[in-house]
Amino acid sequence: MAKKIKGQNIESPLTKETEAPSSRKTSGRTLSYWVDSVKPAPFGKLDRNLKVDVVIVGAGISGLTTAYLLSREGKNVAVVEDGNIGSGESGRTTAHISNALDDRYSYITEILGMDKARMAAESHSQAIHIIEDIVQRENIDCDFERLKGYLFLHPSDNKKTLDDELNATQQLSIRTEMIEGVPGIPMETGPCLMFPDQATFNPIKYLDGLAAAIVRNEGKIFTNTRASKIDDSGILSENGFSIKADFIVVATNSPVNDKFAIHTKQAPYRTYVIAGLIKKGTLPHALWWDTGDQNSIWTNDPYHYVRLQNYNDEYELLIAGGEDHKTGQPNEEGLQEEDRYNNLIKWTYERFPVESIEYKWSGQVMEPVDAMAFIGKNPMDSDNVFIATGDSGNGMTHGTIAGILITDLIIGRHNPWEELYDPSRKTMKTAGDFIKENLNVAKQFKEYLTPGDVDSVKDLGPGQGAIIRSGLTKAAVYKDDEGKLFAYSAVCPHLKCILEWNGEEKTFDCPCHGSRFTCFGKVVNGPAPHDLEEIGITENGQSGSYDI
Ligand code: FES
């Protein structure tokens, strides 16, 4: 039976069950089209001790591209992944493969200067070529397609933004053209900036193809294997096996081996996605982006992005995303997660002839303070430990750049992008944003003093979670569908911020650096190094036991 999304009285039946079955759960309850479209590739758990040249933690686009390119250089590689291939944020992207950076070249040129902005443009353009080359070389059936992208004005914005971007891109030798009207969106009558040479694919099919190629190159992949300890000698898995390696690469969206250095220089954001049915051939295949604010914690002008995906003989999926907010801080302007979906559905229905919504999911974006990913040697660590993080909303190209750059660093080959992406860099012109983000983190500690979401666990229905006061601190509580209560300390194991309940993904999310935990306390996003501590509480949140 058709279901309704609660919220703003929008008729938006979800014609499909969007909750992931437990075998396919990724970093939340919702199911992306990509994960639903492919059976998990059959890899096993780590079941022995190994010694390799390079061990890579994380089987998303950064980790697998690195493993693949190193395996082509003859390196003996092993990949460990705590879920399945692409089951982290790479399976929750919308896979815009683009050199039209979300942060805009006009801004990047202003803060980094012309030379570095040119390098950013070159590296993202080259990443698109490398993906295309890998698809052809390895014969990966992943719906890869070259197409155009259109940047158009958000209602809050004006043409100067597009003029500035036209000017900046042309100075950096990125092909762009200003056109009147937005192809595919008749109601958007203003000008737009067209970027040729963009691309899309199905990210899980691409990653499965990369994984198969790694195995053909005699690399090893272990899934459902959490690395519980990572140091400069290799990793130790939760089930007690080790992989010793000369080089260690941590490609886990947010680096789980870094406690401070990187987490003060990037901020986690949630982004929302819906996929609806649209009659085949209605629209040209393209990418569309508006000029809204990607970090709408600071403004209320949220950004939107759209693409198409082949679906069946009659329909395509129109995949629209946006409405971003800082992770664990959904309450700006009183908006909850479900309101974000409803706003996105409303925005999409106003612009596109979508017949019904088939999927909805959310993902995590790491926003570096200066718009460039952090790829290279892990700060304050041994020289043989590398990280890749800070996708900045361009995860497909940043992940591919990570593979190219880390491969060169390990092989000992000069790469001109090294300084641009160096995780130890400081960008003086973004000091104000750095301070603003870190003041926002400091503000989160007020949550130790505020009341909980509910006064008593009795207020929770089946399948609901909340944060409840527990003496001087707080507890994260969840009632399962049978009414059984699960209680954990709501203090994040990373740097002790108080978690927030995310009712759409059924996760406890940290508002400081983006760690996330399932409703059963299991960590699904770093930097938290381990699961939540289980506690006993009474009905009103005090220490003790609650009798169900
Ligand atoms: Fe840093 Fe929670 S992720 S305190």
Side-chain angles (χ1 to χ4, degrees):
M1 197 171 78
K3 303 184 298 299
K4 295 241 175 84
I5 298 178
K6 287 181 291 172
Q8 299 173 333
N9 298 321
I10 296 164
E11 290 297 317
S12 54
L14 283 167
T15 55
K16 194 169 189 340
E17 179 53 66
T18 59
E19 180 161 351
S22 57
S23 61
R24 303 307 310 274
K25 281 211 167 72
T26 58
S27 58
R29 175 186 72 115
T30 57
L31 177 66
S32 77
Y33 166 69
W34 319 118
V35 172
D36 197 30
S37 67
V38 184
K39 281 201 179 109
F43 294 101
K45 281 187 180 184
L46 182 64
D47 56 2
R48 59 198 181 278
N49 296 328
L50 284 177
K51 168 76 178 79
V52 294
D53 296 331
V54 188
V55 63
I56 294 130
V57 184
I61 190 159
S62 298
L64 289 183
T65 307
T66 305
Y68 167 74
L69 292 176
L70 283 167
S71 72
R72 267 176 48 183
E73 299 282 349
K75 291 287 180 193
N76 181 14
V77 301
V79 179
V80 292
E81 160 61 49
D82 68 353
N84 294 308
I85 299 296
S87 67
E89 299 314 304
S90 292
R92 289 174 167 267
T93 174
T94 54
H96 289 223
I97 307 171
S98 175
N99 60 0
L101 299 188
D102 283 4
D103 290 284
R104 311 274 173 266
Y105 287 105
S106 49
Y107 173 70
I108 292 166
T109 304
E110 183 189 321
I111 59 166
L112 297 179
M114 188 64 82
D115 288 349
K116 286 190 176 161
R118 183 167 288 116
M119 228 174 264
E122 280 168 11
S123 57
H124 285 271
S125 303
Q126 192 168 332
I128 303 175
H129 288 298
I130 294 279
I131 291 171
E132 186 169 31
D133 176 70
I134 292 172
V135 168
Q136 287 167 0
R137 175 192 283 258
E138 303 297 343
N139 203 13
I140 300 175
D141 179 11
C142 61
D143 306 328
F144 180 88
E145 188 178 357
R146 283 279 194 171
L147 35 70
K148 291 175 179 160
Y150 301 106
L151 179 67
F152 62 97
L153 288 172
H154 186 276
S156 65
D157 210 348
N158 61 55
K159 184 161 178 286
K160 183 174 181 307
T161 299
L162 296 182
D163 288 335
D164 289 350
E165 196 60 4
L166 177 70
N167 189 26
T169 49
Q170 299 202 334
Q171 283 187 323
L172 299 171
S173 305
I174 289 204
R175 287 207 294 145
T176 48
E177 188 183 325
M178 192 77 84
I179 58 177
E180 277 309 311
V182 184
I185 319 181
M187 74 169 276
E188 300 289 354
T189 55
C192 93
L193 197 57
M194 189 265 285
F195 290 73
D197 306 327
Q198 312 300 295
T200 54
F201 59 18
N202 176 326
I204 295 288
K205 288 185 178 175
Y206 177 69
L207 294 182
D208 280 350
L210 275 184
I214 292 165
V215 172
R216 282 197 295 278
N217 294 343
E218 301 188 359
K220 297 173 187 66
I221 297 177
F222 302 98
T223 54
N224 296 299
T225 299
R226 176 182 297 279
S228 57
K229 183 165 176 248
I230 302 170
D231 62 25
D232 59 5
S233 69
I235 67 108
L236 180 67
S237 70
E238 213 168 47
N239 60 343
F241 295 103
S242 69
I243 302 181
K244 297 287 179 205
D246 297 332
F247 297 96
I248 295 87
V249 180
V250 179
T252 51
N253 182 250
S254 179
V256 292
N257 58 331
D258 182 289
K259 191 150 189 186
F260 299 105
I262 291 298
H263 306 294
T264 59
K265 299 197 289 188
Q266 65 178 1
Y269 283 76
R270 298 303 296 168
T271 189
Y272 295 81
V273 181
I274 56 161
L277 291 182
I278 188 165
K279 274 268 183 333
K280 227 180 173 105
T282 307
L283 295 175
H285 279 209
L287 301 176
W288 292 270
W289 318 283
D290 74 16
T291 60
D293 190 338
Q294 301 131 45
N295 309 338
S296 54
I297 186 173
W298 309 121
T299 70
N300 196 25
D301 304 318
Y303 165 63
H304 301 96
Y305 48 94
V306 180
R307 63 166 282 189
L308 293 166
Q309 167 65 31
N310 293 330
Y311 188 56
N312 61 26
D313 288 346
E314 200 178 346
Y315 287 101
E316 292 172 324
L317 284 178
L318 183 131
I319 300 175
E323 299 287 334
D324 302 13
H325 66 83
K326 201 162 181 190
T327 300
Q329 301 183 36
N331 292 315
E332 293 292 315
E333 312 289 330
L335 291 179
Q336 295 294 326
E337 292 90 355
E338 68 173 32
D339 300 317
R340 306 277 178 173
Y341 281 120
N342 283 329
N343 288 348
L344 185 56
I345 290 168
K346 182 167 181 287
W347 182 91
T348 304
Y349 276 177
E350 282 169 358
R351 285 163 181 78
F352 300 100
V354 168
E355 294 187 13
S356 62
I357 307 298
E358 294 284 293
Y359 293 87
K360 61 171 186 169
W361 69 88
S362 66
Q364 187 126 308
V365 176
M366 304 306 296
E367 293 286 357
V369 72
D370 64 0
M372 294 293 113
F374 297 106
I375 302 166
K377 287 181 184 164
N378 189 35
M380 298 187 286
D381 203 338
S382 302
D383 278 356
N384 64 337
V385 182
F386 297 84
I387 57 167
T389 186
D391 57 276
S392 194
N394 292 93
M396 299 299 97
T397 44
H398 263 142
T400 304
I401 291 166
I404 300 165
L405 178 50
I406 293 176
T407 296
D408 283 348
L409 293 172
I410 287 176
I411 296 294
R413 196 162 46 206
H414 171 72
N415 186 306
W417 310 336
E418 182 176 350
E419 193 188 336
L420 176 66
Y421 293 106
D422 181 359
S424 297
R425 71 183 182 269
K426 290 188 179 66
T427 306
M428 294 317 290
K429 284 198 174 162
T430 54
D433 290 336
F434 174 84
I435 291 167
K436 190 158 76 167
E437 285 289 4
N438 285 289
L439 280 176
N440 174 272
V441 167
K443 222 171 87 183
Q444 303 314 312
F445 285 91
K446 75 177 186 321
E447 289 299 319
Y448 275 92
L449 304 174
T450 58
D453 304 335
V454 293
D455 293 331
S456 163
V457 294
K458 276 187 171 166
D459 298 337
L460 291 180
Q464 290 182 336
I467 302 298
I468 185 170
R469 175 149 290 288
S470 179
L472 291 177
T473 180
K474 285 184 172 175
V477 291
Y478 177 69
K479 239 182 217 177
D480 72 8
D481 292 341
E482 277 73 52
K484 183 169 181 212
L485 188 77
F486 296 83
Y488 307 91
S489 166
V491 176
C492 177
H494 178 225
L495 293 177
K496 304 201 179 314
C497 287
I498 295 290
L499 305 174
E500 172 90 15
W501 172 243
N502 176 341
E504 287 289 325
E505 295 294 354
K506 291 199 175 179
T507 53
F508 294 103
D509 297 352
C510 182
C512 288
H513 314 103
S515 290
R516 298 175 59 245
F517 306 84
T518 70
C519 51
F520 301 112
K522 299 272 174 222
V523 63
V524 290
N525 270 106
H530 56 74
D531 299 339
L532 296 180
E533 179 199 349
E534 197 163 359
I535 57 172
I537 59 167
T538 66
E539 139 185 345
N540 294 322
Q542 303 311 309
S543 296
S545 63
Y546 174 66
D547 202 9
I548 53 171

